[in-house]
Amino acid sequence: MPKKIAKEKPRKSIFTRVLKMLSLVFFSALSLAVILVLLVKIGLFGALPSESSLKNIQNNIATEVYSADKVLLGRFYINERNPTKFENISPHVINALVATEDARFYSHKGVDPRSLARVIIKTFIMQDRGGGGGSTLSQQLAKNLFPRDGTTKIGVGINKIKEALIAFQLESIYTKEEILELYLNTVPFGENMYGIDMAASRYFSKNTHDLNVQEAAVLVGMLKANHTYNPRLFPDKSKDRRNVVLSQMTKYGYLEETEYDSLKMLPLDINYKRITPTSGIATYFRNFIRPELEKWAANNEKDDGTPYNIYTDGLRIYTTIDSRIQKYAEASMARNMENLQNQFDKHWSANKPWSANTDILNSAVKRSTHYQQLKNKGLSHNEIIKEMKVAYPMELFSWQGTQEKKMSPIDSIQYYLMMLQAGLVAINPQSGQVKAWVGGIDFNKFKYDHVNQAKRQVGSTFKPFVYAAALEKGMDPCDYISASRTIYKNLEGWTPGNADKEENVKKYSFKGALAKSINTVTIKLIDEVGIDNVINVAKEAGIDTELPKVPAVALGTASLTLLEMTKAYCTFANEGSRVELSYLNSIYDYEGNLLYEVTPPPKTKAISPDHAQMMNEMLRAAVNEGTASSARWKYHLTNDLAGKTGTTQSNADGWFIGYNPKLVVGTWVGADDPRVRFRSTALGSGSNMALPIFVGLFNDMNKDETLKNITSAQFPDLDSQLLSQLDCDLEREDKNILQKVLGIEKKDKAIEKEFGKEKKGFFEKIGDVFKKKDN
C-alpha cells in the first residue's frame, strides 16, 4: 500500500493566529493607554492645571535696577529672567527654533503623531534609548511650566501623558505666536538664566530683536543641552551645534544652500557680559538699597492683596545713581588704589606692622571666620593655630586679577591685613541725590562698605564746622589768631601741635588757618566759640552721630561714616541748607505702572547763606593754596573747586571731601585695621591717599562733554561786603612791636591756659597783679 503522506498545517492559520495575538496585544495596550490617559486626565496621578491657571501663567521675573540715566545696574532674582514680547524676538530665532525642535509646529494641535509614533517604535519596540524626543514645542513648554516629578519608567510615561494633555490645552487657549513667546521666555539657558532675552543679552550683549541668524542658531542650539553647548565654556561644541541648527534651517527652507555654506564657516563670535549681584557697576550701592527695597515691598500690596516681592515680581527700580559718574569713580579708585598699594607694599617690604605689635595679627586671626568655625568645633587655641598653618590652594584678590596660590589661612590673613581699602560717594548738593557710591575696592571679595558702614576718625575734614560756628557767632574772619602752642592745664597738660613747627610762630586769618589746616588755631577757635555750638552746627549740617563733647572733636577725633561727612559738606555747597539724602527716584511694576515716586523734602537751614558762601571761599583756598593744592600744581586740575583734606593720628586714615556747586565728592582711604598704616605723613596723608581718587574722577568727567554742566559749575562771586570781610592775608608773622623793631625771632614756646576759661582783658590782668600784692 502506498505510504500516507501527512498533511502540513496551513501557514495561513499560523499567520492568522500570530496576527490575532498581535492585534490582541495592540488593542490591549491601546485600551490600557486610553485608560491611563483617562486616569491621568481625571487627576488620579495628580491634578492637571486648570484652564484659568493656564490663561494666567506667571513666571518669577527678575527685578531690574536702573541708574537715573536708564542704564541697567543689576538685578535681584531667584531665577534670572526677563520676558519679552513675540514682536521683539528676531525672526531668525523663531525659524531656528521651529526647524530644529518642531518642524511641523504650525500644523499640529499640540502633539505631533508622526514624531510620537517614531519615538514609540524606536524607544519601546527597538529599545533604542537614543530614539530622540518626540515632544513638540507645546509639550516642552508644558514641561518647562510644570516640571516633572517622576523618574521611573511609569512615572516618565505618566509625565509624557500629562504634558500631551497640557499641550492640547495650551493650543486651545493660545495662538501659535503666543506659544512661541511663552516657550522662549521660559526655556533655560544655563547659569540660572531663563528666556531668550537674557540669553541674547548675556552671550551677545544684544537685544533679542537684533540677533543675526548665526547668533540665533547658537542660542537655539543650546536648548538640547545648555551646559554642553554653552558658547563661553565649550566654543567648539557650540559651533558644531550651531552648524547643525543652520543645517536644519536649510533643510526646511529657512536658508538657502549658499547662505548655509558661508555661515557654517564663520567663527563663533560672542560678546559675553554677565551682571550678577556681585558684578557690574554700583555693586555696593545695590547691596545698600536692597534692604530698603525689601522693606518697601513688604509694606506695599499688589492688586491680589499679596505684598510685592523684589525677587519675583519684575519691578523696575530707578535710582539716583548717574552711571557715567559711577563708572568714572570706580575706574579712578581702581587706578589710584593699585598705585597706592604698590607704594604701601614697598614701604613695608622689610617688615610688617605686626612685627612690633603682634596683637594686630593675633586679633585678626581670632576674628577670622576660619578660627571661629574651628573654635565652635571644640578645638583649643593651639589646635586651631596648627590647623590654620596648613597650606592649600586658594583664590586671592590682587590688582593684577584673581590669583590662585597655595597658602595657609594665617598667610591669607596676613595678606589681606596689608590690603588698603577705600570709599567714595558723590552727592548732588541741591537735591541730596546720591550720584556715585563705591564702598570698597572689590565687592566680590570685600563686602564691608566703607561708605556707610565703616566709622573712622575724620581728621581735619571736621575743621570747617568749627570755622562755620565761629562765623555764626559773629567772629571776624580777618582777626588774626596766633598759632602758638598752648598747654591746657585742665586737660592733663594736653598740648596740641601743628604738622610743621614753623607754623607755631605765625598767626592766621580764618581762611589761612583752614587752608593750611592749623591745629592750634582751630583749638583756640573752639575754645572761643564753645564745644556745644560747634557740635550744634555740625548736627544742623547733617551729622547725626553723637559727637564727643571734648575739645579734640575740633581736630576730627570723632569716628563717622564717609556718607555722613559728605552729606554734611553739601550744606556749604547748598547755600547753607541741609539736604536729606535720596537713593531712589521711582518704582514701576513689570507692566510699567508707577508704584512709588520720591518727592523732594523741604530745605532746612543750617547756617546762613552768607556764611556758607564765606566757607566756600575759605575751602577754595584749601584747594588753591592749602593742603589740597597738589590738585593744582601736581595733577593740574583746573575746575573751580573747594575742599578739605584730612589725615588722622599716625596716618591711619586719609580723607578728602571736595566739591563745586553741582557735586560733592567724599573719598577715604585706609586699612581696615587702623594700626596698619604708612609710617610717613608724606605717604599717609589725605592729600596722597584720598585726593588722587577725587582728581581722577574729575579728570575723567572733564573729558565727558555730557557732564560739562557739572564739571564747569562755578561758585558765584562774593558780593562786595562779604569779599571785604575776607580781604586779608592768609598768614602773618606773630610778633609784637618790640620783636619787629629789634628783629627778634619769635621762639616756639607754649603757654599755659585752662580750656574753657574766658580770656582776660588787659585791665583784668592789671587788677590781678594788684590783688597778688595785697595778699
Side-chain angles (χ1 to χ4, degrees):
M1 282 184 68
K3 267 188 170 182
K4 206 171 182 181
I5 300 173
K7 288 185 180 179
E8 291 183 9
K9 291 183 179 180
R11 291 185 180 182
K12 188 175 179 181
S13 61
I14 297 173
F15 177 76
T16 302
R17 285 200 297 271
V18 171
L19 186 62
K20 285 182 178 179
M21 185 173 66
L22 288 174
S23 298
L24 181 64
V25 170
F26 173 77
F27 285 109
S28 298
L30 183 62
S31 300
L32 287 172
V34 171
I35 293 169
L36 188 59
V37 169
L38 291 173
L39 292 175
V40 170
K41 193 168 185 178
I42 64 174
L44 186 65
F45 299 100
L48 292 173
S50 65
E51 184 174 334
S52 62
S53 67
L54 288 176
K55 285 181 178 179
N56 189 32
I57 293 170
Q58 298 289 333
N59 289 307
N60 290 344
I61 306 173
T63 285
E64 294 187 334
V65 182
Y66 290 89
S67 64
D69 51 330
K70 297 183 171 61
V71 172
L72 178 65
L73 300 178
R75 299 180 179 90
F76 299 130
Y77 55 86
I78 296 173
N79 297 320
E80 197 170 7
R81 187 196 316 266
N82 186 33
T84 190
K85 298 293 184 183
F86 179 82
E87 55 267 25
N88 296 329
I89 301 171
S90 167
H92 298 308
V93 172
I94 302 299
N95 295 340
L97 178 66
V98 172
T100 308
E101 295 292 324
D102 191 355
R104 287 177 289 278
F105 171 72
Y106 292 106
S107 60
H108 64 65
K109 299 296 182 183
V111 176
D112 184 359
R114 287 167 60 182
S115 294
L116 188 60
R118 172 176 53 81
V119 170
I120 291 172
I121 292 169
K122 285 190 175 182
T123 305
F124 296 102
I125 297 176
M126 299 174 63
Q127 295 295 301
D128 178 7
R129 296 184 68 87
S135 295
T136 64
L137 288 174
S138 302
Q139 287 172 279
Q140 291 180 48
L141 174 59
K143 184 174 70 173
N144 293 338
L145 294 173
F146 308 100
R148 295 174 176 178
D149 53 10
T151 57
T152 64
K153 282 188 177 181
I154 295 176
V156 170
I158 290 170
N159 284 325
K160 284 282 188 181
I161 294 170
K162 281 185 177 181
E163 288 160 11
L165 293 172
I166 295 170
F168 281 125
Q169 287 181 283
L170 289 169
E171 292 269 354
S172 68
I173 295 170
Y174 295 103
T175 66
K176 290 291 186 179
E177 287 76 15
E178 288 170 336
I179 288 174
L180 288 169
E181 178 185 314
L182 280 169
Y183 178 87
L184 285 167
N185 282 326
T186 57
V187 69
F189 282 91
E191 301 182 1
N192 195 30
M193 173 181 56
Y194 294 78
I196 189 67
D197 191 67
M198 288 301 310
S201 174
R202 180 164 304 177
Y203 293 112
F204 297 106
S205 299
K206 285 186 174 184
N207 293 322
T208 312
H209 187 270
D210 298 324
L211 292 171
N212 59 38
V213 64
Q214 63 267 28
E215 291 165 344
V218 168
L219 297 182
V220 169
M222 292 180 69
L223 300 180
K224 183 174 183 180
N226 53 51
H227 178 73
T228 302
Y229 298 115
N230 185 312
R232 178 179 66 89
L233 300 175
F234 310 106
D236 290 339
K237 291 181 180 179
S238 177
K239 181 183 176 183
D240 291 342
R241 180 63 184 164
R242 177 201 71 181
N243 289 345
V244 169
V245 175
L246 293 173
S247 174
Q248 289 293 105
M249 294 178 73
T250 307
K251 176 181 177 180
Y252 290 104
Y254 296 109
L255 287 178
E256 298 292 334
E257 284 285 350
T258 52
E259 289 180 283
Y260 168 67
D261 290 338
S262 61
L263 288 171
K264 72 179 182 179
M265 301 305 296
L266 293 175
L268 185 71
D269 186 18
I270 67 170
N271 183 12
Y272 186 85
K273 183 174 70 175
R274 184 178 188 181
I275 300 176
T276 69
T278 60
S279 69
I281 65 171
T283 46
Y284 287 94
F285 175 78
R286 283 186 271 142
N287 194 56
F288 166 74
I289 63 169
R290 184 197 297 257
E292 288 298 314
L293 293 172
E294 289 175 335
K295 183 178 178 181
W296 176 89
N299 293 325
N300 287 271
E301 293 182 348
K302 294 178 282 190
D303 292 340
D304 62 4
T306 61
Y308 282 99
N309 186 320
I310 67 168
Y311 302 100
T312 61
D313 286 336
L315 302 175
R316 298 296 179 260
I317 314 291
Y318 289 90
T319 70
T320 60
I321 291 291
D322 186 305
S323 68
R324 300 161 298 176
I325 301 174
Q326 181 70 34
K327 288 175 184 175
Y328 297 144
E330 292 183 9
S332 178
M333 179 179 286
R335 289 193 307 268
N336 286 285
M337 289 306 296
E338 181 176 3
N339 292 334
L340 190 67
Q341 189 65 51
N342 289 335
Q343 290 182 41
F344 194 62
D345 292 340
K346 289 176 183 175
H347 182 73
W348 286 103
S349 59
N351 52 23
K352 293 292 181 279
W354 49 88
S355 300
N357 183 359
T358 55
D359 184 60
I360 296 174
L361 179 57
N362 291 338
S363 58
V365 169
K366 290 180 179 178
R367 286 195 309 269
S368 70
T369 304
H370 201 138
Y371 185 97
Q372 293 299 323
Q373 288 174 343
L374 294 174
K375 186 179 179 181
N376 291 338
K377 289 181 179 179
L379 274 68
S380 68
H381 173 75
N382 290 337
E383 290 172 329
I384 294 172
I385 297 301
K386 183 180 178 181
E387 183 80 16
M388 290 182 70
K389 286 183 177 179
V390 177
Y392 56 85
M394 61 177 68
E395 288 187 346
L396 296 173
F397 167 84
S398 81
W399 286 110
Q400 291 71 48
T402 301
Q403 296 181 348
E404 189 168 308
K405 289 187 176 181
K406 188 175 183 180
M407 61 167 53
S408 71
I410 288 182
D411 291 335
S412 171
I413 290 168
Q414 293 183 36
Y415 177 82
Y416 286 120
L417 267 176
M418 292 296 293
M419 193 66 66
L420 292 175
Q421 291 290 340
L424 180 150
V425 65
I427 304 170
N428 179 320
Q430 275 78 48
S431 65
Q433 293 185 341
V434 172
K435 293 299 174 184
W437 179 306
V438 191
I441 58 175
D442 183 79
F443 185 74
N444 267 314
K445 191 63 185 178
F446 310 102
K447 298 295 190 289
Y448 190 60
D449 195 325
H450 297 87
V451 168
N452 77 307
Q453 288 180 312
K455 288 195 171 187
R456 300 294 289 247
Q457 284 194 338
V458 297
S460 295
T461 56
F462 188 84
K463 287 176 180 175
F465 303 108
V466 178
Y467 290 81
L471 292 176
E472 289 284 289
K473 192 177 179 181
M475 292 183 69
D476 186 346
C478 279
D479 274 351
Y480 287 91
I481 301 170
S482 171
S484 60
R485 292 179 299 119
T486 303
I487 302 168
Y488 294 100
K489 296 185 293 183
N490 58 341
L491 298 176
E492 299 179 351
W494 181 50
T495 311
N498 295 308
D500 187 343
K501 289 183 179 180
E502 291 184 7
E503 295 167 342
N504 298 340
V505 294
K506 297 178 181 179
K507 56 184 177 182
Y508 294 85
S509 64
F510 277 22
K511 185 192 286 187
L514 188 55
K516 303 289 185 180
S517 203
I518 307 300
N519 291 336
T520 53
V521 172
T522 307
I523 291 298
K524 288 174 183 177
L525 273 179
I526 196 172
D527 191 10
E528 179 74 22
V529 174
I531 294 173
D532 287 342
N533 288 331
V534 169
I535 289 176
N536 286 338
V537 166
K539 284 186 174 180
E540 289 295 319
I543 294 175
D544 298 319
T545 297
E546 193 70 26
L547 295 169
K549 294 185 177 183
V550 295
V553 72
L555 304 183
T557 55
S559 293
L560 305 171
T561 66
L562 178 61
L563 186 64
E564 206 168 8
M565 283 299 295
T566 309
K567 170 189 172 184
Y569 267 62
C570 288
T571 297
F572 302 133
N574 192 32
E575 300 178 343
S577 291
R578 168 182 174 144
V579 299
E580 297 304 325
L581 300 183
S582 62
Y583 315 99
L584 300 176
N585 282 329
S586 55
I587 300 176
Y588 291 82
D589 66 15
Y590 184 69
E591 299 299 325
N593 300 306
L594 180 64
L595 303 177
Y596 172 74
E597 190 170 31
V598 173
T599 53
K603 289 185 177 181
T604 306
K605 179 177 167 293
I607 60 174
S608 78
D610 284 353
H611 293 154
Q613 284 193 64
M614 293 170 78
M615 288 303 305
N616 292 337
E617 190 66 20
M618 288 188 244
L619 289 168
R620 286 174 78 195
V623 174
N624 294 332
E625 48 196 320
T627 56
S629 62
S630 61
R632 303 298 192 204
W633 59 263
K634 183 177 180 180
Y635 301 110
H636 310 294
L637 198 61
T638 59
N639 307 72
D640 190 5
L641 298 167
K644 185 74 187 77
T645 58
T647 308
T648 62
Q649 191 73 23
S650 303
N651 314 308
D653 307 90
W655 293 74
F656 180 69
I657 304 176
Y659 63 96
N660 70 13
K662 293 290 184 71
L663 194 69
V664 180
V665 180
T667 54
W668 167 89
V669 175
D672 277 336
D673 189 323
R675 295 169 295 180
V676 178
R677 58 212 177 193
F678 280 110
R679 291 163 292 186
S680 158
T681 302
L683 294 173
S685 65
S687 60
N688 186 63
M689 293 206 297
L691 176 62
I693 299 175
F694 175 93
V695 170
L697 167 60
F698 258 78
N699 273 333
D700 286 348
M701 289 174 61
N702 285 337
K703 298 170 188 173
D704 190 333
E705 283 294 319
T706 65
L707 292 171
K708 196 171 182 179
N709 66 316
I710 296 174
T711 55
S712 63
Q714 294 187 326
F715 293 100
D717 294 333
L718 297 182
D719 63 38
S720 57
Q721 183 181 355
L722 294 180
L723 199 58
S724 66
Q725 292 183 54
L726 293 174
D727 188 16
C728 50
D729 296 331
L730 298 185
E731 62 186 54
R732 288 181 179 176
E733 286 185 329
D734 188 15
K735 291 183 179 181
N736 56 36
I737 295 175
L738 187 62
Q739 288 171 325
K740 288 180 181 178
V741 171
L742 298 178
I744 301 171
E745 291 295 325
K746 182 170 181 178
K747 294 181 180 179
D748 177 15
K749 184 180 179 181
I751 61 169
E752 289 189 343
K753 183 186 180 298
E754 288 192 5
F755 188 91
K757 292 290 181 73
E758 287 190 20
K759 192 175 181 180
K760 292 184 178 180
F762 177 74
F763 293 106
E764 287 179 293
K765 289 180 180 178
I766 292 176
D768 287 345
V769 171
F770 285 109
K771 284 179 184 178
K772 288 179 182 177
K773 286 184 178 180
D774 291 341
N775 292 334

